[in-house]
Amino acid sequence: MHGVLTEIVLVMAVAVAAALLLRRLAVPPVVGFILAGVAIGPAGLGLVADREKIEVVAEVGVMLLLFMVGLKISLRDLWRMRATVLGGGGLQYGVTAVAITMLARVFGLPWPEAIVWGLAVGLSSTALVIWLLEDRGETASPVGRTAIGVLLFQDLAVIPVMLALPLLAGRAGSARDVAFIAAESVAFVAGVIVAARFVVPWLFARIVATRSRELFTLSIVLIALGTAVLLGEFGVSLALGAFIAGMVISESDYVAQIVADMTPLRDVFNSLFFVSIGMLLDLDLWLARPGLVAGLVAAAIFGKALIAALAVLPAVRSLGTAVASGMALAQIGELGVVVAAEASRLGLGSDTTSTLFLTVAVPTMIATPFVLRASTPLARWIESR
């Protein structure tokens, strides 16, 4: 236990130092966190030996972030966004997955491995994009709502994707068994939402009546993390489970107080998450094949931005908003890393291609703050034309 706490303290110290140093250069703090992870991880000084335990702590930050985003989007808002979530999100993910799969086949990868690349690259970083949008005050803007709508679809899509991986690897039962598990997960999620709509208001009324701030804060954390863990048992990602918990209580009379209490906790844990992402980067491949890796990073960013912009254009009906939204979604996200890791565990790909995937994914996240910063003036220029 002492060793894990020592490493967490070390991670936080390096993250603060990197963020302060890069802040002077007008570089977003999230880039400093990721680079801090690179510096102290296996690719750098190797100061952190137990990365898995730090990732467990970091996962709490992602759940709290998505929980607070859910607080700002009610079920009625989600219904109004259905064209973006289902139409734009479905088109973006489907087209990206097919395009990457075909490209991987051109490079000689077998069909199962090529499909995994398509499914993984199509996923963007929910945690990173939403944190950046919140920092810019744009979560409620047209670009913010469009990007969040697409990200929600991607998070939902991870459920059938993870169920399909054993089929690709030939290690699952029949497709009917997988479909039954997926239907069971959807039914359970719906049941949790309906139950919470009635239970949570009753619970809050009694907690507030105690006039205990500590009990109130503890109850919020319990609802956020408890719902995420409960839904996770039925195949739903922890982040999506936390988002659902936030949406369920978004119409509560105590939302402002919840946000005030949760923001400091969210920021601390979320910084650890991005440090853990930086630890995944393998610099050896960058040094051995810099041209190949740089080309793949650039192609991933440009290709994902273009496909996402075209996918959401019918829903937003604004070329500037579509382009800015596409640029916000141009990275390969943490769920893509999860999909790739699970595929590798099932034997769907070699260690070399898995390493290459991580080597491409992490730099796309590092580039995201700069790409997002450039999206606003570009969108304005497009609109003016």
Side-chain angles (χ1 to χ4, degrees):
M1 182 66 179
H2 182 269
V4 175
L5 288 176
T6 301
E7 291 189 347
I8 290 176
V9 170
L10 175 64
V11 166
M12 295 179 70
V14 175
V16 169
L20 284 174
L21 177 63
L22 293 177
R23 190 74 170 182
R24 294 177 179 271
L25 303 175
V27 176
V30 65
V31 176
F33 296 146
I34 296 176
L35 292 179
V38 175
I40 64 178
L45 301 175
L47 300 179
V48 176
D50 202 348
R51 179 168 57 84
E52 288 76 13
K53 290 184 179 178
I54 291 179
E55 286 177 349
V56 171
V57 178
E59 187 72 26
V60 176
V62 180
M63 288 188 281
L64 290 177
L65 175 67
L66 270 292
F67 172 72
M68 294 186 64
V69 172
L71 290 174
K72 300 176 183 179
I73 300 178
S74 66
L75 292 173
R76 285 195 295 268
D77 291 334
L78 189 62
W79 177 251
R80 286 195 291 267
M81 295 165 59
R82 62 188 183 278
T84 302
V85 175
L86 299 177
L91 194 58
Q92 178 274 333
Y93 188 54
V95 173
T96 303
V98 170
I100 297 300
T101 299
M102 293 298 103
L103 187 61
R105 285 290 296 160
V106 170
F107 278 91
L109 294 182
W111 272 110
E113 191 172 351
I115 292 173
V116 168
W117 269 79
L119 295 174
V121 172
L123 297 167
S124 303
S125 176
T126 302
L128 176 58
V129 173
I130 291 179
W131 197 12
L132 292 173
L133 289 172
E134 282 206 325
D135 187 56
R136 293 161 59 92
E138 295 181 358
T139 52
S141 69
V143 172
R145 286 186 171 273
T146 302
I148 290 172
V150 173
L151 290 168
L152 288 179
F153 180 89
Q154 293 180 4
D155 286 349
L156 288 169
V158 170
I159 301 172
V161 166
M162 295 297 282
L163 291 173
L165 289 180
L167 283 176
L168 285 174
R171 300 188 183 183
S174 65
R176 181 181 300 176
D177 296 335
V178 175
F180 177 78
I181 295 173
E184 185 181 61
S185 301
V186 172
F188 187 78
V189 170
V192 168
I193 293 175
V194 172
R197 291 284 288 179
F198 295 98
V199 174
V200 170
W202 175 86
L203 180 63
F204 272 148
R206 278 142 187 82
I207 291 173
V208 171
T210 66
R211 299 183 180 277
S212 171
R213 185 184 182 94
E214 294 80 5
L215 181 59
F216 181 81
T217 303
L218 183 61
S219 300
I220 297 304
V221 174
L222 175 62
I223 290 172
L225 303 187
T227 304
V229 171
L230 187 61
L231 294 178
E233 293 297 320
F234 286 81
V236 180
S237 73
L238 295 176
L240 182 58
F243 176 83
I244 293 172
M247 276 201 312
V248 165
I249 62 175
S250 62
E251 297 177 13
S252 166
D253 296 333
Y254 314 105
V255 168
Q257 185 61 47
I258 294 171
V259 171
D261 287 352
M262 291 296 103
T263 298
L265 284 174
R266 177 206 66 183
D267 291 343
V268 170
F269 284 108
N270 223 34
S271 62
L272 287 176
F273 168 75
F274 290 111
V275 173
S276 70
I277 288 293
M279 294 180 192
L280 297 173
L281 186 63
D282 185 352
L283 292 178
D284 292 339
L285 192 55
W286 265 100
L287 297 175
R289 305 287 297 275
L292 171 65
V293 177
L296 290 175
V297 170
I301 292 174
F302 179 78
K304 289 199 67 177
L306 178 62
I307 292 172
L310 294 175
V312 302
L313 182 57
V316 300
R317 299 179 182 178
S318 166
L319 185 57
T321 300
V323 169
S325 301
M327 294 174 71
L329 299 164
Q331 72 292 135
I332 301 171
E334 61 279 352
L335 287 179
V337 175
V338 171
V339 169
E342 178 65 12
S344 178
R345 187 185 69 81
L346 293 171
L348 289 168
S350 64
D351 292 338
T352 302
T353 53
S354 298
T355 301
L356 179 61
F357 180 85
L358 291 173
T359 306
V360 173
V362 176
T364 65
M365 296 189 213
I366 295 175
T368 297
F370 307 102
V371 174
L372 190 60
R373 183 182 295 173
S375 67
T376 301
L378 178 59
R380 289 174 181 166
W381 180 83
I382 290 173
E383 292 291 350
S384 70
R385 300 292 172 179

